[in-house]
Amino acid sequence: MAHKIELPRRTYVRTIYNFFPFPLSNSKKKFIGNWVLRGRKMESTNSFRLRKQALKPIETARSSASQRDEEEVSKNNGQRTCEEEPLSPSSRLYHEPNFNVYVIAIMGCKTRIYPDVVKANLGHTLLRHPRFSSLQVENNGEMRWVPTEVDLERHVIVPELDQNMDSPDKFLEDYVYNLSKTTIDKSQPLWDLHLLNLRTSQSEAVGIFRIHHSLGDGTSLLSLLLACTRQMNDSKALPTIPIRKKKDKKSDRIGIWRILLRFWFVLQVFWNTVVDVFMFIATALFLTDTQNPLKGLPGSESTPRRIVYRTVSLDDIKFVKNAMNTTINDVAFGMTQAGLSRYINRICSENKKDGGATETNNLPKSIRLRSNLLVNIRPAPGIQALADMMEKDAEVKWGNWIGYVLLPFTIAVREDPLDYVRNAKAIIDRKKRSLEAFCTFYIADWALNLFGIKAASALSHKVISRTTMCFSNMVGPVEEIGFCGHPMAFLAPSSYGQPYALMINFQSYIDKMTIVLSVDEGTIPNPHQLCDDIVESLQIIKDAVMTRGLA
């Protein structure tokens, strides 16, 4: 702290004289001296009052609101409150009867889960997000977020389990299956957490998050969940999510060649976008996938889902990626194409009257099979931003801005297994050079504003139901993390309520990749076989890489 130096009065006056560049007469010196000393006397008597006024905070609506928010947070056990605001059009879309989707996140833990510890942490993490402490109330045809006090006893469910049951893995699978038959009561915020202290083949206990899709898109919700976790080797550190660094493209081409390359890139983006938008409109009007063993029947959105998963080595996927100079997403897509081809080929061979061999090609000549990706074109908030929001009341952008991407799958029996990955890379590289997601978002937004929520819901339902499946690949933490202090063994996200019979999610965690299938058993009666086919396809592709000496 700086100290103020007080000078004697005469010395102070002489110091003032020195600032004048010309000599002063005695009368002028006397006048200046009396004026300065009188001013110093006034300062000494009024300085405390003036400084106190200068430091007084300015009362604004924002500061008052922040103070009230902090008081409300302390009263509500860490829960934040917010003003009422209307639901976004995309959030309202998920309340339509044919689009009532829930996100499921199965978390395997390495230790027993203590519910009291989880509840204590939720009050200071997840409940600080306004969406998780608000009701969705409809009034005069408009739905609004209405803040409420959350009763964690209604949201955190801890069933009593028989620890000596014969098949804990089957029990967990059936538990999630029965959960997909139900919805969450709208008299409370639309999320819940089921804690099962059940030892399975992969974990000592399991937590199941269920969140209505109107609260956010899958990527943002998963990021929010990870923002509630911390690294096990550092209780204050957030999970580390790898970010793909763009390669520095050093080119010797200068001048006209660089301009031509950029023009060619822009032309590709324009052409691919036009073709993709045309295919989207055609799908909304009439174009549907070929009937195949994976395509659901009308009404699939109301059927319960069997969610199964397998875990493979992420190092095996990276081994193929590095050998073929591709990405992890390319390999995941390629092994999925190979697995689906194996499964459909087997079904087609069983349906033949003469019982065709599964090793031969029993597929129809051409199969149109597409995946529908719902892409949030709003940049997803990072884990750090979400953690700051929950800890420091920072503001983040949140909400569904949904665009559509139609991803074609090539179903074929190939002699070279590596062709599945090469084909996958070609398809994904082409989709990267397209503005399909942005254009389809604006088409859906235009339909919503022009014709209303019912028409927008019908448009979305037609586009999705005329494709076969959904496919996604999400990146997870690279180190071990803990949820409320419980070390996590695996993470398996999925969903139910969507109008297709198959959904495939890839989720990485440390050195593992979990493949999660959500299926309608009426269409796919043997989901474990389909999951095994995808896993075996990775091994076949890896063996082919080693045989050819590409590694």
Side-chain angles (χ1 to χ4, degrees):
M1 181 177 179
H3 296 279
K4 184 177 179 180
I5 300 176
E6 295 289 344
L7 299 175
R9 291 189 178 185
R10 292 182 180 179
T11 304
Y12 187 81
V13 172
R14 293 194 193 101
T15 303
I16 296 296
Y17 294 162
N18 294 333
F19 281 99
F20 289 90
F22 50 85
L24 298 173
S25 64
N26 291 332
S27 60
K28 290 182 178 180
K29 288 181 179 180
K30 183 177 181 180
F31 173 80
I32 293 173
N34 291 334
W35 178 81
V36 170
L37 294 176
R38 184 168 61 249
R40 280 172 54 83
K41 182 178 180 181
M42 292 177 61
E43 180 185 354
S44 64
T45 57
N46 298 331
S47 61
F48 179 77
R49 179 177 59 86
L50 292 175
R51 288 172 187 160
K52 185 175 181 181
Q53 289 179 353
L55 293 174
K56 185 177 180 180
I58 301 174
E59 190 71 20
T60 63
R62 184 176 180 84
S63 62
S64 301
S66 300
Q67 183 177 1
R68 287 195 302 269
D69 287 346
E70 292 299 326
E71 293 176 355
E72 290 295 328
V73 166
S74 61
K75 291 179 182 178
N76 296 335
N77 191 26
Q79 301 175 26
R80 289 184 62 193
T81 59
C82 61
E83 297 180 358
E84 295 184 16
E85 60 180 78
L87 268 71
S88 67
S90 297
S91 294
R92 294 194 341 250
L93 178 67
Y94 286 108
H95 281 285
E96 291 300 303
N98 57 3
F99 221 64
N100 192 22
V101 182
Y102 283 85
V103 176
I104 292 282
I106 304 174
M107 302 178 299
C109 295
K110 295 182 178 181
T111 61
R112 179 181 178 85
I113 298 177
Y114 296 93
D116 292 339
V117 176
V118 173
K119 293 177 185 178
N121 280 273
L122 288 178
H124 300 282
T125 54
L126 194 66
L127 298 189
R128 305 267 295 180
H129 193 295
R131 295 293 181 262
F132 286 79
S133 57
S134 298
L135 302 175
Q136 299 182 31
V137 179
E138 185 172 2
N139 187 16
N140 296 327
E142 182 184 30
M143 298 191 70
R144 303 185 69 85
W145 298 101
V146 179
T148 186
E149 186 172 350
V150 178
D151 181 9
L152 285 176
E153 298 300 325
R154 298 182 62 188
H155 290 268
V156 181
I157 301 167
V158 187
E160 295 184 4
L161 304 176
D162 179 13
Q163 299 298 325
N164 298 319
M165 63 180 65
D166 295 333
S167 179
D169 292 274
K170 185 64 168 61
F171 175 86
L172 174 61
E173 187 180 305
D174 291 339
Y175 188 94
V176 178
Y177 176 80
N178 292 324
L179 198 63
S180 69
K181 298 178 181 178
T182 64
T183 58
I184 300 176
D185 191 351
K186 290 185 179 180
S187 63
Q188 66 186 57
L190 298 181
W191 67 272
D192 56 22
L193 172 60
H194 300 250
L195 303 178
L196 281 65
N197 281 308
L198 178 70
R199 178 179 294 180
T200 66
S201 59
Q202 299 188 45
S203 61
E204 292 292 323
V206 176
I208 306 171
F209 258 112
R210 179 172 60 159
I211 307 170
H212 195 265
H213 218 316
S214 60
L215 271 66
D217 67 286
T219 302
S220 297
L221 292 174
L222 184 63
S223 298
L224 180 64
L225 175 61
L226 293 177
C228 298
T229 66
R230 292 296 183 270
Q231 297 182 23
M232 289 305 299
N233 57 2
D234 186 353
S235 60
K236 295 183 179 180
L238 288 167
T240 303
I241 305 297
I243 300 175
R244 186 187 177 193
K245 297 181 180 180
K246 294 183 178 180
K247 296 181 180 179
D248 295 333
K249 296 182 178 180
K250 298 181 180 180
S251 177
D252 296 332
R253 298 183 178 92
I254 57 176
I256 188 65
W257 291 109
R258 182 174 297 178
I259 295 175
L260 289 176
L261 286 174
R262 291 181 179 180
F263 175 76
W264 175 245
F265 176 79
V266 172
L267 188 63
Q268 281 184 312
V269 172
F270 174 77
W271 175 252
N272 291 339
T273 302
V274 170
V275 173
D276 290 339
V277 171
F278 173 80
M279 293 298 293
F280 173 81
I281 296 174
T283 302
L285 296 176
F286 61 88
L287 186 63
T288 185
D289 282 3
T290 306
Q291 192 61 40
N292 61 78
L294 304 177
K295 194 173 189 319
L297 299 174
S300 295
E301 63 272 11
S302 59
T303 59
R305 296 303 161 111
R306 178 72 62 180
I307 297 179
V308 299
Y309 49 87
R310 296 284 188 276
T311 300
V312 299
S313 172
L314 184 60
D315 291 334
D316 289 347
I317 296 178
K318 290 181 178 179
F319 175 80
V320 177
K321 172 188 81 78
N322 295 331
M324 300 188 66
N325 193 26
T326 60
T327 65
I328 291 179
N329 205 35
D330 296 335
V331 179
F333 186 30
M335 60 186 281
T336 302
Q337 285 192 132
L340 297 184
S341 299
R342 285 167 56 87
Y343 180 84
I344 296 177
N345 187 54
R346 182 186 299 106
I347 298 297
C348 291
S349 68
E350 294 173 355
N351 292 338
K352 284 187 176 182
K353 294 181 179 180
D354 56 353
T358 56
E359 294 80 7
T360 60
N361 188 352
N362 301 290
L363 296 171
K365 290 184 178 181
S366 60
I367 297 179
R368 182 188 302 112
L369 192 154
R370 295 172 295 172
S371 168
N372 196 313
L373 304 182
L374 299 183
V375 180
N376 189 2
I377 65 173
R378 166 180 279 177
I383 293 178
Q384 182 63 55
L386 292 170
D388 291 342
M389 177 203 67
M390 292 184 287
E391 295 177 3
K392 306 174 185 177
D393 295 345
E395 295 183 359
V396 297
K397 294 182 179 180
W398 186 270
N400 293 303
W401 289 4
I402 301 300
Y404 302 82
V405 174
L406 300 180
L407 190 64
F409 277 69
T410 302
I411 303 300
V413 176
R414 299 184 181 275
E415 294 183 1
D416 185 358
L418 301 185
D419 286 342
Y420 290 109
V421 180
R422 297 187 184 104
N423 177 260
K425 175 176 173 55
I427 293 174
I428 292 178
D429 286 348
R430 182 201 171 281
K431 286 294 180 180
K432 290 177 181 177
R433 295 189 292 270
S434 173
L435 301 177
E436 178 181 8
F438 292 91
C439 293
T440 53
F441 163 75
Y442 286 111
I443 291 174
D445 186 61
W446 171 78
L448 175 65
N449 294 329
L450 196 61
F451 302 107
I453 189 66
K454 297 294 182 182
S457 174
L459 172 65
S460 300
H461 187 269
K462 286 181 179 180
V463 172
I464 294 175
S465 61
R466 286 174 177 163
T467 56
T468 299
M469 56 175 286
C470 178
F471 173 84
S472 70
N473 177 27
M474 290 183 283
V475 182
V478 298
E479 67 279 295
E480 185 180 26
I481 61 174
F483 178 71
C484 301
H486 303 86
M488 194 177 296
F490 70 89
L491 178 62
S494 190
S495 67
Y496 68 89
Q498 60 273 12
Y500 31 65
L502 174 62
M503 181 174 187
I504 302 177
N505 296 91
F506 280 68
Q507 176 65 57
S508 65
Y509 176 52
I510 314 180
D511 58 351
K512 301 176 182 178
M513 178 73 82
T514 302
I515 306 168
V516 191
L517 271 60
S518 174
V519 306
D520 174 10
E521 286 188 306
T523 302
I524 306 172
N526 46 0
H528 294 279
Q529 180 63 63
L530 176 57
C531 206
D532 290 339
D533 284 335
I534 297 176
V535 173
E536 291 173 8
S537 296
L538 172 61
Q539 187 61 45
I540 293 173
I541 293 172
K542 178 186 174 183
D543 292 342
V545 170
M546 298 178 67
T547 302
R548 287 163 174 75
L550 299 178

